[in-house]
Amino acid sequence: MFSLNVPVPPAIPRLARDLHPKLTGFDRVRDRHTLVCKRFGVNDVSGDGDETDAPPRTVALDRLRERLRRPLARTSPFGVAATGIGVFDSPAAGSGPVVYLAIESDGLVRLHRRLCAAFGAVEGIEGDDYVPHVTLARGGNPEAGVVADLVAGEVDPVRWRVHALDVWDPAAREVAATVEV
């Protein structure tokens, strides 16, 4: 239903644009670049059946924001770096291969673990299986060597500090709320 995302700086879409010509042969090349910290399901935002006149998504968002208070309370701004390119040959969900910007951040991983302790982990992609990344392209049948060349190539690292997180609403395809850390 919702996800908690790390806002990416303008340098990330610029880097993705620079890499775009090398992403031929993939079914989908991402034009929107996100760094997911945690996904939330319906049970994470459901309440106790309170009656309300507010739209269901508004109620769900309000409940999620309330439930996020405690695990986010101990969070301070943290550093993040996009350091290279990686690949999921056989992703846990969806079509492969998936080519992505590899993200390094101890603070992000600690926050993800704290959120998984509070909300549970999505099997196969969260908890111990969590790999922080920004997807560039996925699926299709890229020419032989394209993925290997991408992964072997070097990128100038992009570093930034995270001071806020965005609650993403995939149904509306927009940021529904921002929470400070």
Side-chain angles (χ1 to χ4, degrees):
M1 178 181 277
F2 292 106
S3 65
L4 190 63
N5 295 351
V6 173
V8 298
I12 295 294
R14 279 195 301 270
L15 177 56
R17 275 193 307 276
D18 292 346
L19 293 168
H20 191 274
K22 298 178 180 180
L23 301 174
T24 59
F26 288 90
D27 285 342
R28 292 184 310 256
V29 177
R30 291 276 173 93
D31 59 351
R32 182 175 288 158
H33 301 93
T34 60
L35 172 51
V36 176
C37 175
K38 176 75 180 94
R39 290 166 180 82
F40 302 100
V42 173
N43 292 336
D44 297 323
V45 296
S46 62
D48 54 9
D50 291 347
E51 294 293 326
T52 180
D53 292 332
R57 291 196 86 66
T58 301
V59 172
L61 177 60
D62 289 347
R63 288 184 177 142
L64 177 59
R65 290 177 74 180
E66 183 59 35
R67 287 198 62 203
L68 282 169
R69 262 185 235 277
R70 178 176 250 158
L72 291 180
R74 299 176 304 205
T75 304
S76 298
F78 54 90
V80 176
T83 57
I85 299 174
V87 64
F88 299 124
D89 289 316
S90 300
S95 59
V98 174
V99 174
Y100 60 86
L101 293 174
I103 300 295
E104 294 181 13
S105 174
D106 291 339
L108 175 58
V109 171
R110 281 192 302 273
L111 175 58
H112 173 78
R113 287 186 178 144
R114 201 163 51 247
L115 291 166
C116 286
F119 292 92
V122 177
E123 189 174 333
I125 59 174
E126 291 186 343
D128 291 340
D129 296 317
Y130 179 61
V131 177
H133 69 281
V134 175
T135 299
L136 298 171
R138 73 176 311 143
N141 192 16
E143 291 182 26
V146 168
V147 173
D149 288 347
L150 282 164
V151 172
E154 291 189 22
V155 298
D156 290 332
V158 176
R159 300 179 193 288
W160 72 99
R161 285 199 66 74
V162 176
H163 296 272
L165 300 164
D166 292 332
V167 178
W168 176 256
D169 181 345
R173 297 187 53 79
E174 65 185 14
V175 172
T178 298
V179 292
E180 301 294 321
V181 294

